Structure formats: structure tokens, C-alpha cells
Amino acid sequence: MRRSTGTVFVVLLLAGCAQTVPGVATPAASAVKVLPTEAEISSDIGNTLSTFGFQPFVGGVEILPDGYRSDAEASPIRCAAVTDTAPRIVYEPLPVVEAARQSYFNWDEGVDASGADAAVVRLASPAAAHQAFASFARQWQQCSGTTVVKHVGDAVIDAAVTDVTVQDAVVSATVRTRQRPGGTQTRYERALGVRDGTLVEVSLAVTPSGERQPDPRAWAVRIAETMLDKSQ
């Protein structure tokens, strides 16, 4: 999840167009069906999140966010993928068949989670997906304790990665961002999972109210598991 200030994020989603890969029978529409519905994601976290009618991006690897690509933009660049949802740079080398992504929001006072990004990426085979997950999980673990310095226009944002955990087929992490100098800290819970040939990613923005709850990480993991259950 990428935000220009680290405190408020608004992503204007445009309707994507389906794309298929020659020689692959799986239709691009199947990825979008794995995205959580508003009811599912709201149930998983305990407060309402809405798409506000924005349609998901649907297509190939080209619909994934194309943000940071070098250490000049985010350093160390190898850890930027932990702090952002499904960046294109990490999926470009993989045999991507189809992808879909969607954002969800709630700006009400007193909610525990104010927004989420969810992404689905289907690869050409289960072997490719599980190999990619193993590589991502190792990378996330290596980045635990690292602060990624991001440059967004004139702003500089620190994104600290902590508490990376791998359990079953889901890797999760906490990311705390703060814009320099002295901006308000914002907490995200990240989760990435695999099942068969599908990879899913979740970023969940946790409010100060949510931080007082026993286990905000579990919400992001639960959303990822809901998506994986729909991928079969």
C-alpha cells in the first residue's frame, strides 16, 4: 500500500480490462473473483470497509502498482515489496497469467481499520507460485528490522518492517510509516499467501483504536485466508 503522506490515502481506481495469456486456458475474470467482497473483508476485520463503487483493476502484470524501482526511490529497494502491495517490479519476472487488485476504505471516527488493499496474482503453475512464495517469504524475513526510506515527490517517508512471521502458507509483517520530519506514525499489517497457482497480498491500515486491539495482525492474515479459500 503506497500513500503520499503516510496518514491519509485515497486511491482512485479505474475499471481495468481483462487480458488473457496465449496458450493459457484460465480467464482473467477468475482472478477478480478471488478478491474479497465488502461483506467478507468487513467480517474479517470487524468494521465496515467499502470500495465506494470503484471497480477493481483486472488484467495482467501491467495492472500492478508500478512505483519504486531503484534505491534512489526506495532504499533498500529489496525491502520495498514488504511495505507496498504487489509491486509490479517483483512480479514482472514471474509467469503471470492474470492479476486483479482492489482498495477498500472507511473514514469514520473510531474504526479499527481505515482501509485495505488486496491483490490476486495467478501464475502459470502451482510450482511457480510456491517457488515465488518461498522466495518472497525469505526476502520478507531478511527485511525484518529494516527501515525503508521512500521518496514520494518532495516527501521522505520511513517505513519500518518488523515482526515477520511465516505460518503455513502465509507470511505476515507489521509496517510502521512516518513522514519526515515528525509526521504521525501509521501502522499497516501485511500478509502474503499462496495456494495452488495463486498468490494473494493484503495491506491493512490500522488506526490508533485498532492498535489497542489484541491482534490486528490476525485481521490481515484472515483476509488473505479468505481470498485463498476462494481461489480453489
Side-chain angles (χ1 to χ4, degrees):
M1 183 180 296
R2 179 175 178 177
R3 304 199 297 179
S4 59
T5 65
T7 56
V8 177
F9 71 104
V10 179
V11 181
L12 297 179
L13 296 179
L14 304 177
C17 57
Q19 173 176 316
T20 57
V21 174
V24 179
T26 307
S30 62
V32 75
K33 293 179 181 178
V34 178
L35 291 171
T37 65
E38 292 178 343
E40 288 168 341
I41 199 168
S42 299
S43 175
D44 284 340
I45 66 174
N47 70 240
T48 300
L49 288 182
S50 173
T51 65
F52 287 97
F54 292 118
Q55 296 300 304
F57 288 97
V58 182
V61 71
E62 78 284 347
I63 65 96
L64 298 178
D66 191 20
Y68 309 109
R69 285 190 166 267
S70 71
D71 282 317
E73 298 166 325
S75 179
I77 190 63
R78 63 182 177 81
C79 293
V82 187
T83 68
D84 283 45
T85 311
R88 191 184 307 178
I89 187 174
V90 301
Y91 285 94
E92 281 177 332
L94 303 179
V96 175
V97 174
E98 53 177 340
R101 61 185 177 95
Q102 177 79 72
S103 293
Y104 309 78
F105 310 94
N106 187 330
W107 296 296
D108 293 342
E109 295 284 342
V111 297
D112 291 333
S114 59
D117 287 340
V120 181
V121 180
R122 286 189 182 275
L123 300 188
S125 69
H130 283 266
Q131 184 177 10
F133 174 80
S135 177
F136 291 159
R138 286 193 301 270
Q139 187 177 41
W140 283 37
Q141 289 174 311
Q142 292 167 0
C143 291
S144 189
T146 299
T147 296
V148 180
V149 181
K150 302 179 178 183
H151 298 271
V152 184
D154 294 330
V156 178
I157 299 172
D158 293 327
V161 179
T162 60
D163 303 324
V164 175
T165 301
V166 182
Q167 185 171 2
D168 299 325
V170 177
V171 57
S172 58
T174 297
V175 178
R176 291 179 172 87
T177 67
R178 188 190 302 272
Q179 182 175 334
R180 300 180 187 177
T184 302
Q185 179 176 276
T186 302
R187 175 173 172 173
Y188 297 96
E189 293 299 339
R190 291 276 285 119
L192 185 155
V194 66
R195 184 169 298 173
D196 298 328
T198 301
L199 293 160
V200 302
E201 290 204 33
V202 176
S203 294
L204 185 67
V206 179
T207 67
S209 173
E211 289 197 80
R212 294 192 289 271
Q213 300 303 316
D215 190 9
R217 171 80 62 89
W219 303 334
V221 172
R222 197 150 52 230
I223 296 167
E225 290 173 341
T226 294
M227 296 168 68
L228 292 172
D229 287 344
K230 297 173 68 175
S231 71
Q232 295 179 311

